[in-house]
Structures are given as structure tokens and as C-alpha cells.
Amino acid sequence: MQLCETKSAIRDLHATWRQVGESIGLVPTMGYLHDGHLTLVRQARAENDRVIVTIFVNPTQFGPNEDLATYPRDMDRDLALLRAEGVDAVFAPSVVEMYDGAPETIVETTKLSRILMGRLRPGHYRGVATVVTKLFNITQPDRAYFGEKDFQQLAVIRRMVRDLDMPLDVISVPTVREADGLAMSSRNVKLTPEDRAAAPVLNRALDTAANAPTVAKAHKIIRDTLASEPRADIKSIDIRDAETLARVSGPITRPVVALLAVRFGNVLLIDQRVLTGEKP
Ligand code: PAF
């Protein structure tokens, strides 16, 4: 496995793969890898000749009062995990290498990035869309893999790829959970033991709402379940069309997605579930 810290190093490497017609799968990450990331890596490994993983804690997607400085990092452990998965290359640039000076150009999905979590974290999805565009341009993958946990991020990236005719497939991979149902996230290590014990309430709330017949009922079930956990500070509960993220109401006759953002202490956790309204 090659570790590339510069754009030119990773470009030289993928040029040699392209010359012999090899396909490239990309898994963009911010490091501190868990089984959710490794599931993306395994799928990329199975579907491509070469796999590139990027590790870059992107400052432009963090707000001024967010956790950029304390975002967990462990490069040695990440590299060992990726080596064991048979990854071909890791692109891990510095901030200076990635953003040369103060760039003028941004990429933004103008509607999708401003709703839902975009309201709670202004500028977040603009930072994501811009860095993912840069990572796509630098690594030129055939396929790029993203988890469904950040459902809005996935929608933003799919829309951006479609609108800007980016020549690659976006592959989504279901959320990987701990044994008690908590969605895997690099931020979980920042939870206190008490908050960690309380946090599976997100998954319980989503489970309980899975077969709700209407949007209003699903919303009430989720709110009541979350409210039963005193440590959960509910930031948002939204139920939206699973494809467009448009507002929905009434009976659930086509897939909708429940999107939760809940704070435990200083840690904001998100989770999601597609609800079909079908009886079990
Ligand atoms: O989901 C993440 O880890 C990040 O938002 C991403 C896609 C790597 C962009 O920085």
C-alpha cells in the first residue's frame, strides 16, 4: 500500500493504473476509521481493480464553533487497518497541500445544502461538495463509495455529480451499527460513558417508527421515544421524500426517510432510516 501525501504522487500512481486499463474505486474519509468505513472499503475492493482511500479532516466543512480541533485522529492505526484490507493507496494530504492559499472557487448544491442539517450547520455541505469535487478531480475514480448514515451528504453528492456531469458512479452503502444499534461514527468515542449508554435511543426510535402508516404518526413515535431519554437533546426530526428530500405529509405510500440530529453533551449524532409504511 502506498501512502501519498501530495496530489502529484497520487496522480502519478493512478496514471500507471489507467495506462493498463485498471478501474479505480475511491473511499473518501476523514480518518479515525471504524467498521462502517471498512465496509465501504471492502465493497470498493470487490468492485474495482484498485482502491484509493483518502484521509483528510476537511476544515472547510466545520463551522467556527464545531469540533475541528478535537476531531479524533489516529493515522498509524488507520494505515494498519487499510493495509490489512488490501487497499492500494492512501491519499492523506496536509491542509496546505489540499487548499493552496485561499481558494476562490466553491461547489454548492444551492437548495439541498441549505435545508435540514444544512440549517443547523451553515456552510457544511458547501465544504463537503467542494472537497469531494477536489478529491474526485485528484483521484479520478470510476466509482466512489459513501455511507447512507449521512443521507443528506449522499443526496448532495449524487446531485452534484449529476448536475456537473462528473464521470463516475456514486455507490451508497447501508449504515453499519454497533451491537446495541448505535450507528458507527468516528464521533462516538467522544461520548461520555453515560451518553454512550443513552445514544442507542436513536436507533430504537427509528425501529419503532419503521411501520408507521403516516408521516405524522412516524414523527410522533420518534419524538416520544427520543423524549423518553433525558440525555438526548433533540435538534431535529425530519421526515422527507427519500429521493428528493422534499417535505412530505399524509399516508406513507412511497419511501420516505426519517432524519435525526440529536445532541448528547457536546456531541451531535445523526441517524436515518427509510420508512416504507409497509406492515411487517
Ligand atoms: O463523510 C465524510 O467523512 C466527509 O464528509 C467526506 C465525504 C470525507 C468529505 O470530507
Side-chain angles (χ1 to χ4, degrees):
M1 185 177 84
Q2 302 231 24
L3 172 61
C4 301
E5 292 176 324
T6 62
K7 297 173 195 172
S8 60
I10 191 78
R11 282 197 173 120
D12 288 350
L13 193 58
H14 74 62
T16 64
W17 299 338
R18 285 284 179 225
Q19 261 168 17
V20 291
E22 292 180 320
S23 63
I24 299 173
L26 173 71
V27 182
T29 82
M30 298 208 299
Y32 212 73
L33 304 177
H34 51 65
D35 261 355
H37 296 111
L38 299 182
T39 304
L40 303 182
V41 169
R42 283 171 202 144
Q43 190 163 334
R45 180 69 288 164
E47 296 176 354
N48 300 276
D49 298 316
R50 299 287 183 174
V51 175
I52 300 176
V53 175
T54 66
I55 298 179
F56 180 63
V57 182
N58 173 38
T60 69
Q61 68 188 72
F62 288 79
N65 300 318
E66 292 183 355
D67 57 349
L68 173 62
T70 59
Y71 195 84
R73 298 162 206 242
D74 190 341
M75 185 60 88
D76 291 343
R77 181 177 155 278
D78 288 350
L79 293 178
L81 287 170
L82 296 175
R83 203 169 284 117
E85 294 295 334
V87 164
D88 297 283
V90 172
F91 176 53
S94 66
V95 174
V96 173
E97 173 68 14
M98 198 62 181
Y99 296 104
D100 185 15
E104 273 192 66
T105 310
I106 52 160
V107 181
E108 185 168 23
T109 52
T110 50
K111 290 197 185 105
L112 270 177
S113 69
R114 293 179 190 182
I115 58 172
L116 301 164
M117 280 295 286
R119 277 194 325 253
L120 283 181
R121 303 184 70 188
H124 170 68
Y125 289 113
R126 184 173 59 219
V128 170
T130 304
V131 80
V132 169
T133 300
K134 285 167 72 69
L135 292 171
F136 286 172
N137 285 338
I138 295 163
T139 62
Q140 296 180 20
D142 299 281
R143 296 175 196 87
Y145 296 79
F146 295 89
E148 284 173 6
K149 185 170 79 85
D150 191 340
F151 205 83
Q152 188 173 357
Q153 169 169 284
L154 190 59
V156 163
I157 291 167
R158 280 195 193 288
R159 185 67 202 227
M160 170 186 97
V161 164
R162 197 176 97 195
D163 286 353
L164 298 182
D165 303 304
M166 294 179 172
L168 63 116
D169 292 331
V170 174
I171 313 284
S172 61
V173 180
T175 304
V176 179
R177 296 179 182 277
E178 304 285 356
D180 62 6
L182 179 64
M184 289 195 182
S185 163
S186 305
R187 288 193 169 95
N188 290 351
V189 293
K190 299 173 73 186
L191 294 165
T192 63
E194 295 76 17
D195 287 335
R196 173 64 189 80
V201 71
L202 273 83
N203 185 51
R204 276 205 308 282
L206 293 167
D207 274 350
T208 320
N211 302 112
T214 67
V215 170
K217 283 220 168 86
H219 200 281
K220 181 171 172 2
I221 291 169
I222 292 171
R223 178 163 290 282
D224 289 352
T225 311
L226 292 176
S228 71
E229 172 46 69
R231 305 189 80 84
D233 174 11
I234 303 171
K235 289 299 170 197
S236 62
I237 302 170
D238 288 281
I239 300 182
R240 297 285 178 119
D241 182 279
E243 247 174 54
T244 61
L245 299 189
R247 285 179 198 282
V248 284
S249 59
I252 300 177
T253 52
R254 50 178 286 171
V256 298
V257 62
L259 301 164
L260 313 186
V262 179
R263 192 176 279 284
F264 291 84
N266 293 328
V267 184
L268 182 66
L269 296 183
I270 58 171
D271 205 347
Q272 56 74 32
R273 181 76 46 86
V274 172
L275 312 176
T276 55
E278 284 162 8
K279 300 280 167 292

